[in-house]
C-alpha cells in the first residue's frame, strides 16, 4: 500500500463514516479471503466456507449490538445456499481484510437500519453462487448435466436418486469458476428466511459468555480514565497533576490538549487519581451558552429571512394560506438527547513495532480503522481492528469515532503496553454526540369541506450531516442545496394529498456536538407532523384515522399499514370509561409504520398506557421474531425519551450526568406492546429504527383526547405529565 493510497483511502473512509455510510457494494461475490482467518474448510466464495464435517461458515461483515443482524444477514445467504441452518456458524469479517480486498464485503457499518435492506441482494447472490458451484461439482462427479441436479438441506441430489453432501463436494466446488449470473429464489419459496429463528448471539449473552469491549483483558494491560473539557470546544490552559502522580498504581498523567488522562494499573485507581488533577480549562466564548440562549438561536432561525433552504415546494402555499379558509399555526420543540448506551464508551489499544491493534465496540469497523490510523500516524494496513460485541449503539458508536481517537491518543503515551481507555458514565453523558434539538413552525389551511389545502413547515436545528462531514449541504449529501435530510425527515416527504406544500430548513449549527441518534430525524419529526395532522383533523371535525385515510389514497403502502394497525387496534370500537386512543403513521428507513396508543390520565397528570399497537410493513420480513423484538425495544427507547429525555446546557456544559438525572424507563412502567407485522413484499425496508417513529405522536394524540391538552414540546415531564 502506498502512502498516497493510504491517505486518499483514509479521507474517503472518514467522510463516509461521518454520514453513517460507505461505498455501496455492487453484486460482486468475493472469491478469496486472505490466509490466517482460522476457518478450516473449503472456501466456496468469500461468504461461504464448507467444512468436511458439514459445518457451513457464513461470514458476517457488519456489527452486532442487539439488533439481530448477525442472525438475519446469514439467514439470507443460507436461504439461497440451501444448507441446513443447524449446521451454520457465523464468522466475523475484519475491516483490514475488507480493505485489503477492495471492500469486497461491502459497507461494514451497522447504521441507518440498512444492514439487510442495503446488502440483501449481494448476500442472497453469494449464497446462490455457492449453491450453483456445489451443484456443478456434483454434476462433474456424476458426469451428468447440472440441470438434472438439485440442492436442498446441505445435499445435492441427482434425478436418479444419487446424493452427495456439501462437505464431500466443497473442495471440488471451490476450484470452479463462479457463475456470472444466478437466479434468486422467489420469497414465496423461502424455507429459512421469513421464518422465526433464534438469534445466534442470545445464548452467550444470556449465559454471560458474551465479550463486550469493556470486558477486554490482556496481560500487562493498563487502564485510563479521561476528562474532556466540560465546555465543548474547550482546551487545557494549564494542568497540575502533582497530587495524582504519586498515588498508588498511577503510571502516567497526560495532557492531550482537549482532554487529560490518568493511566494506572486498574481503572478505579485511574478514575480516583483523575479527580486530583487540577485543570484550568480555556472554554472560550462557549462558556456562556445555555439552553435559553440556544433556544433564542433556534428561534431566530424561524424568523430569519435569509439563508433559508427550501426542501420541498408544491403549488402556492402563501396563496392557499391567505385564501380565507381556516388556518392553524403551531410550534413544536424536541430537545437534545443523549444515547446512554449501557456500555460506556471504551477502546483498548496496543501500539507496538509500528502496528496498532484496537479492540473496540464499534458500529463501523472501517471508520474505527481509519480513525486509529490517522491518530497513530500509520498507514491503514498497519492497523488491526478487533470488533467486539456492542453493549448498545443507537448511532453513538457509528459516526464521530471520538472514543477510538481518544483511545489511540492515550495509548501513544504508553507504547508497547495495551491500554484500555474507559469513560465514566458522567463523561459519557456529558460528552456525547447528541440528537439535535429542533424547533419547528407549522401552518396549515383547511377549505370549507375540512380538506387540507396548505402545509407549511420551517425547521430550525443543527445539521448532523454538515457537522460530521464538515462539508456543505449539497447533493448527493443533501436532497437540495442547504437542506439536511435528517433535519426535515418525515416532514418534507409527506405522502398526503395536500395541493400546496412548502418545507423550509434554517441551518443553525450550535456549539453542542450532534450525531446520529436512533431513528435520527424520524425520532422527532413524526411527533411534529402527526401531532399537527391531528390538529388539522380536529379543526376539520373529522376522525383522526379517517382524516389520514382520505389523504393517503394515492400512497398505498402508508395506507396499508395505517389500515392494518387500526384494524388490529379495533379503532372506532368503544373503550372502557376513561381510556382514550391516539394514532400516527409515517414511513421511516424504507419501512412503513403506524402506532395506536390506548391510555388513561388521572387528575394528577399520571399516564397509564394500557395498550400500544405497533404496525410495520418492511416489505420482506427475514426474521419475524427479531422484528417483533426490535419493535418492542423501540417502544422502550421512545417512551423513555418522550417522557423524561432531555439534555440541557448551563454555562456551556451539560447539566445531566448519570441515570439519576437522565432517567431510564422502569420495568414496571412498560406497557403491553402488540406488533402488527404486515410485510407486503416488493421492497426492502429497515427494522432497527422505524419502530420508534410513530410512537410519540400516537401517545401525545391520545393524551390530547384524554385531557384536551395539546402536547407541542417534549419531554412530557416538563408538561407536568408522568407515567404510571
Amino acid at each position: 500500500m502506498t502512502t498516497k493510497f493510504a491517505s486518499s483511502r483514509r479521507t474517503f473512509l472518514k467522510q463516509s463514516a461521518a454520514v453513517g455510510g460507505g461505498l455501496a457494494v455492487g453484486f460482486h461475490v468475493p472469491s478469496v479471503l486472505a490466509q490466517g482467518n482460522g476457518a478450516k474448510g473449503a472456501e466456496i466464495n468469500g461468504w461461504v466456507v464448507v467444512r468436511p464435517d458439514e459445518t457451513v461458515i457464513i461470514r458476517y461483515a457488519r456489527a452486532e449490538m442487539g439488533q439481530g443482524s448477525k442472525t438475519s444477514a446469514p439467514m439470507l445467504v443460507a436461504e439461497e445456499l440451501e444448507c441446513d441452518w443447524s449446521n451454520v456458524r457465523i464468522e466475523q469479517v475484519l475491516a483490514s481484510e475488507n480493505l485489503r480486498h477492495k471492500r469486497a464485503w461491502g459497507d461494514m457499518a451497522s447504521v441507518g437500519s440498512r444492514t439487510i435492506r442495503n446488502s440483501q441482494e449481494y448476500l442472497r447472490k453469494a449464497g446462490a453462487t455457492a449453491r450453483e458451484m456445489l451443484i456443478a461439482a456434483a454434476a462433474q462427479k456424476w458426469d451428468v448435466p447440472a440441470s438434472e441436479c438439485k440442492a436442498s438441506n446441505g445435499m445435492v441430489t441427482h434425478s436418479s436418486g444419487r446424493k452427495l453432501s456439501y462437505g464431500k463436494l466443497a473442495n471440488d466446488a471451490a476450484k470452479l469458476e463462479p457463475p456470472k449470473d444466478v437466479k434468486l429464489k422467489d420469497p414465496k419459496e423461502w424455507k429459512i428466511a421469513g421464518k422465526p429463528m433464534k438469534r445466534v448471539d442470545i445464548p452467550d449473552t444470556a449465559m454471560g459468555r458474551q465479550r463486550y469491549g469493556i470486558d477486554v483483558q490482556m496481560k500487562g494491560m493498563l487502564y485510563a480514565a479521561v476528562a474532556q473539557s466540560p465546555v465543548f470546544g474547550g482546551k487545557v490552559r494549564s494542568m497540575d497533576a502533582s497530587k495524582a502522580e504519586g498515588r498508588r498504581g498511577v503510571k502516567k498523567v497526560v495532557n492531550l490538549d482537549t482532554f487529560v488522562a490518568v493511566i494506572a494499573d486498574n481503572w478505579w485507581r485511574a478514575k480516583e487519581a483523575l479527580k486530583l488533577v487540577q485543570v484550568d480549562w480555556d472554554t472560550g466564548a462557549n462558556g456562556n451558552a445555555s439552553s435559553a440562549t440556544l433556544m433564542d438561536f433556534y428561534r431566530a432561525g424561524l424568523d430569519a429571512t435569509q439563508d433559508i433552504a427550501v426542501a420541498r415546494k408544491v403549488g402556492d402555499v402563501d396563496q392557499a394560506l391567505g385564501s380565507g379558509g381556516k388556518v392553524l399555526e403551531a410550534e413544536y420543540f424536541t430537545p437534545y438527547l443523549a444515547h446512554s448506551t449501557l456500555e460506556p464508551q471504551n477502546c483498548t489499544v496496543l501500539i507496538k513495532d509500528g502496528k496498532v491493534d484496537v479492540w473496540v465496540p464499534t458500529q463501523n469497523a472501517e471508520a474505527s480503522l481509519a480513525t486509529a490510523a490517522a491518530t497513530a500516524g500509520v498507514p491503514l494496513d498497519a492497523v488491526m481492528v478487533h470488533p467486539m460485541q456492542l453493549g448498545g449503539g443507537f448511532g453513538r458508536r457509528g459516526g464521530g469515532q471520538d472514543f477510538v481517537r481518544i483511545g489511540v491518543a492515550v495509548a501513544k503515551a504508553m507504547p508497547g503496553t495495551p491500554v484500555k481507555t474507559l469513560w465514566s458514565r458522567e463523561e459519557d453523558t456529558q460528552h456525547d454526540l447528541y440528537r439535535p434539538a429542533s424547533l419547528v413552525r407549522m401552518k396549515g389551511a383547511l377549505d370549507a369541506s375540512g380538506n387540507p389545502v396548505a402545509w407549511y413547515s420551517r425547521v430550525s436545528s443543527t445539521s448532523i450531516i454538515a457537522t460530521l462531514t464538515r462539508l456543505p449541504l449539497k447533493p448527493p449529501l443533501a436532497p437540495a442545496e442547504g437542506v439536511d435530510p435528517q433535519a426535515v425527515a418525515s416532514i418534507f416527504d409527506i405522502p398526503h394529498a395536500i395541493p400546496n406544500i412548502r418545507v423550509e430548513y434554517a441551518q443553525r449549527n450550535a456549539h453542542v456536538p450532534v450525531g446520529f441518534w436512533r431513528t435520527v430525524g424520524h425520532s422527532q419529526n413524526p411527533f411534529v407532523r402527526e401531532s399537527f395532522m391531528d390538529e388539522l383533523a380536529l379543526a376539520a371535525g373529522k376522525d383522526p384515522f379517517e382524516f389520514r385515510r382520505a389523504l393517503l389514497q394515492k400512497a398505498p403502502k402508508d395506507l396499508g399499514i395505517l389500515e392494518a394497525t387500526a384494524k388490529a387496534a379495533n379503532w372506532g370500537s368503544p373503550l372502557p370509561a376513561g381510556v382514550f386512543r391516539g394514532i400516527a403513521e409515517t414511513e421511516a428507513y424504507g419501512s412503513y409504520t403506524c402506532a395506536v396508543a390506548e391510555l388513561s390520565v388521572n387528575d394528577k397528570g399520571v399516564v397509564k398506557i394500557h395498550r400500544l399497537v405497533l404496525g410495520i410493513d418492511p416489505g420482506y420480513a427475514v426474521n419475524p421474531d427479531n422484528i417483533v423484538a426490535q419493535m418492542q425495544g423501540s417502544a422502550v427507547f421512545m417512551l423513555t425519551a418522550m417522557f423524561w429525555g432531555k439534555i440541557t446546557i448551563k454555562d456551556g456544559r451539560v447539566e445531566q450526568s448519570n441515570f439519576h438525572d437522565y432517567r431510564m424507563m422502569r420495568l414496571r412502567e412498560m406497557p403491553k406492546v402488540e406488533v402488527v407485522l404486515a410485510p407486503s413484499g416488493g421492497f426492502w425496508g429497515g427494522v432497527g429504527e422505524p419502530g420508534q417513529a410513530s410512537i410519540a405522536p400516537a401517545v401525545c394524540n391520545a393524551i390530547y383526547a384524554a385531557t384536551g391538552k395539546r402536547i407541542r414540546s417534549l419531554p412530557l415531564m416538563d408538561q407536568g405529565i408522568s407515567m404510571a
Side-chain angles (χ1 to χ4, degrees):
M1 179 181 294
T2 66
T3 302
K4 181 178 179 181
F5 173 77
S7 176
S8 62
R9 200 67 158 157
R10 181 180 299 119
T11 300
F12 165 72
L13 287 171
K14 290 172 86 172
Q15 291 179 353
S16 64
V19 296
L23 180 66
V25 74
F27 305 125
H28 167 63
V29 177
S31 59
V32 178
L33 185 70
Q35 296 299 315
N37 56 63
K40 296 180 180 179
E43 186 173 79
I44 311 302
N45 58 43
W47 294 99
V48 178
V49 175
V50 179
R51 292 175 176 169
D53 66 358
E54 307 302 334
T55 298
V56 176
I57 305 296
I58 296 179
R59 293 185 172 122
Y60 178 69
R62 308 225 182 201
E64 178 58 58
M65 53 189 158
Q67 85 278 26
S69 298
K70 199 169 187 176
T71 304
S72 300
M75 283 173 66
L76 289 172
V77 179
E79 179 61 58
E80 294 291 345
L81 181 59
E82 290 282 2
C83 66
D84 183 344
W85 178 252
S86 66
N87 290 335
V88 170
R89 304 294 180 267
I90 314 302
E91 179 183 272
Q92 187 78 41
V93 174
L94 299 181
S96 53
E97 296 295 343
N98 200 31
L99 186 64
R100 185 176 303 159
H101 291 277
K102 300 180 180 180
R103 305 190 81 223
W105 285 269
D107 183 358
M108 300 186 76
S110 286
V111 295
S113 294
R114 68 188 192 193
T115 296
I116 298 300
R117 65 188 176 116
N118 280 23
S119 60
Q120 52 82 20
E121 187 164 2
Y122 62 79
L123 289 175
R124 291 190 293 148
K125 286 193 172 184
T129 299
R131 178 195 70 222
E132 293 305 308
M133 293 169 72
L134 288 159
I135 289 174
Q140 285 188 0
K141 278 184 175 293
W142 295 324
D143 193 23
V144 298
S147 59
E148 295 179 0
C149 304
K150 183 180 180 180
S152 179
N153 203 37
M155 302 284 292
V156 177
T157 304
H158 182 245
S159 56
S160 64
R162 286 176 287 180
K163 294 183 178 181
L164 282 172
S165 71
Y166 283 4
K168 291 182 171 61
L169 292 168
N171 284 329
D172 291 329
K175 300 172 185 176
L176 300 177
E177 186 73 19
K180 294 182 179 180
D181 192 30
V182 289
K183 182 181 179 181
L184 299 180
K185 295 167 67 174
D186 187 317
K188 295 177 182 178
E189 301 172 357
W190 283 351
K191 303 171 186 175
I192 297 173
K195 305 295 189 296
M197 290 291 180
K198 296 178 181 179
R199 275 177 32 191
V200 298
D201 57 316
I202 292 298
D204 283 348
T205 302
M207 299 304 295
R209 297 188 297 261
Q210 195 67 261
R211 304 298 291 174
Y212 297 90
I214 201 171
D215 296 323
V216 171
Q217 296 288 336
M218 299 177 65
K219 183 177 180 180
M221 186 171 75
L222 297 178
Y223 302 79
V226 297
Q228 300 169 73
S229 170
V231 176
F232 306 117
K235 295 183 178 182
V236 177
R237 182 182 286 119
S238 63
M239 181 184 80
D240 181 359
S242 57
K243 293 182 180 179
E245 290 173 331
R247 287 179 64 91
R248 181 182 178 186
V250 172
K251 303 298 181 182
K252 187 175 288 189
V253 180
V254 292
N255 174 356
L256 291 164
D257 193 33
T258 59
F259 69 96
V260 298
V262 173
I263 304 171
D265 58 3
N266 69 47
W267 188 73
W268 179 259
R269 288 173 178 165
K271 182 179 80 75
E272 291 301 297
L274 183 61
K275 297 176 182 178
L276 302 177
V277 179
Q278 297 177 349
V279 183
D280 180 16
W281 296 100
D282 180 1
T283 60
N286 293 335
N288 297 320
S290 67
S291 290
T293 62
L294 287 165
M295 179 62 85
D296 290 341
F297 182 55
Y298 290 126
R299 185 163 296 285
L302 294 186
D303 299 325
T305 58
Q306 295 181 335
D307 299 323
I308 301 301
V310 177
R312 183 180 180 188
K313 184 178 180 181
V314 178
D316 190 334
V317 165
D318 293 333
Q319 189 278 330
L321 288 171
S323 62
K326 185 178 291 187
V327 175
L328 282 73
E329 296 188 26
E331 287 183 6
Y332 285 83
F333 175 73
T334 48
Y336 291 107
L337 291 177
H339 294 80
S340 288
T341 57
L342 184 60
E343 177 189 20
Q345 306 313 303
N346 64 87
C347 185
T348 301
V349 181
L350 172 61
I351 300 177
K352 185 177 181 180
D353 301 328
K355 302 290 185 181
V356 180
D357 280 272
V358 181
W359 292 262
V360 62
T362 177
Q363 289 180 243
N364 190 340
E366 288 182 304
S368 296
L369 188 153
T371 301
T375 305
V378 300
L380 291 175
D381 58 3
V383 178
M384 176 70 77
V385 172
H386 307 269
M388 308 298 295
Q389 182 92 357
L390 283 67
F394 317 125
R396 178 64 179 95
R397 292 180 157 108
Q401 296 288 319
D402 52 340
F403 49 95
V404 173
R405 176 179 55 80
I406 288 174
V408 174
V410 170
K412 286 174 69 177
M414 300 295 296
T417 302
V419 181
K420 179 195 290 184
T421 299
L422 172 62
W423 299 25
S424 67
R425 176 63 61 190
E426 291 77 10
E427 194 71 17
D428 201 12
T429 302
Q430 298 181 326
H431 294 87
D432 204 338
L433 301 177
Y434 305 94
R435 187 194 74 175
S438 178
L439 187 61
V440 185
R441 178 172 293 163
M442 301 292 298
K443 294 181 184 180
L446 300 168
D447 64 17
S449 300
N451 300 312
V453 293
W455 177 281
Y456 169 82
S457 309
R458 179 179 286 190
V459 179
S460 180
S461 72
T462 299
S463 168
I464 299 174
I465 305 297
T467 299
L468 292 181
T469 64
R470 295 180 175 85
L471 294 172
L473 292 173
K474 297 180 179 180
L477 283 179
E481 187 83 17
V483 176
D484 185 320
Q486 289 295 345
V488 297
S490 189
I491 295 179
F492 88 104
D493 53 351
I494 59 171
H496 304 74
I498 302 175
N500 303 285
I501 299 172
R502 189 166 79 245
V503 179
E504 299 171 342
Y505 175 55
Q507 184 179 171
R508 290 294 182 268
N509 293 343
H511 85 293
V512 180
V514 297
F516 299 107
W517 188 93
R518 188 178 185 183
T519 319
V520 203
H522 288 94
S523 73
Q524 50 199 152
N525 289 338
F527 162 64
V528 178
R529 177 185 114 179
E530 291 296 292
S531 294
F532 193 66
M533 196 69 71
D534 251 44
E535 294 198 49
L536 291 173
L538 179 69
K542 298 182 180 181
D543 174 81
F545 164 66
E546 295 296 345
F547 185 75
R548 288 173 172 82
R549 189 167 176 269
L551 295 173
L552 293 174
Q553 292 301 308
K554 294 184 178 180
K557 299 299 183 184
D558 293 90
L559 179 62
I561 197 61
L562 175 74
E563 293 181 333
T565 309
K567 180 179 180 181
N570 298 312
W571 185 272
S573 64
L575 286 166
V579 179
F580 299 85
R581 288 191 183 103
I583 193 169
E585 184 277 332
T586 190
E587 178 272 337
Y589 297 93
S591 290
Y592 299 84
T593 73
C594 184
V596 174
E598 294 180 2
L599 55 79
S600 57
V601 185
N602 68 17
D603 56 5
K604 295 182 180 179
V606 179
V607 173
K608 179 176 178 57
I609 301 176
H610 301 273
R611 186 186 184 203
L612 192 59
V613 182
L614 304 180
I616 184 169
D617 177 3
Y620 295 105
V622 176
N623 189 352
D625 185 63
N626 188 57
I627 296 175
V628 170
Q630 287 300 296
M631 297 293 284
Q632 294 168 335
S634 292
V636 178
F637 209 75
M638 180 49 68
L639 291 173
T640 294
M642 66 178 294
F643 272 88
W644 304 287
K646 69 172 181 176
I647 289 293
T648 55
I649 307 297
K650 182 179 180 181
D651 298 327
R653 61 198 72 196
V654 170
E655 293 188 275
Q656 292 71 30
S657 62
N658 209 315
F659 291 133
H660 71 286
D661 55 7
Y662 194 77
R663 183 167 167 342
M664 298 289 114
M665 186 182 222
R666 272 54 164 182
L667 183 62
R668 62 176 173 79
E669 295 161 336
M670 183 65 187
K672 179 182 179 182
V673 177
E674 300 173 27
V675 178
V676 179
L677 186 53
S680 60
F683 66 97
W684 294 80
V687 168
E689 297 174 272
Q692 290 196 138
S694 297
I695 294 173
V699 171
C700 289
N701 289 337
I703 290 174
Y704 175 81
T707 66
K709 179 179 180 179
R710 180 62 64 184
I711 306 298
R712 297 195 181 104
S713 179
L714 296 177
L716 290 171
M717 68 175 181
D718 287 352
Q719 313 302 319
I721 297 174
S722 59
M723 180 185 280

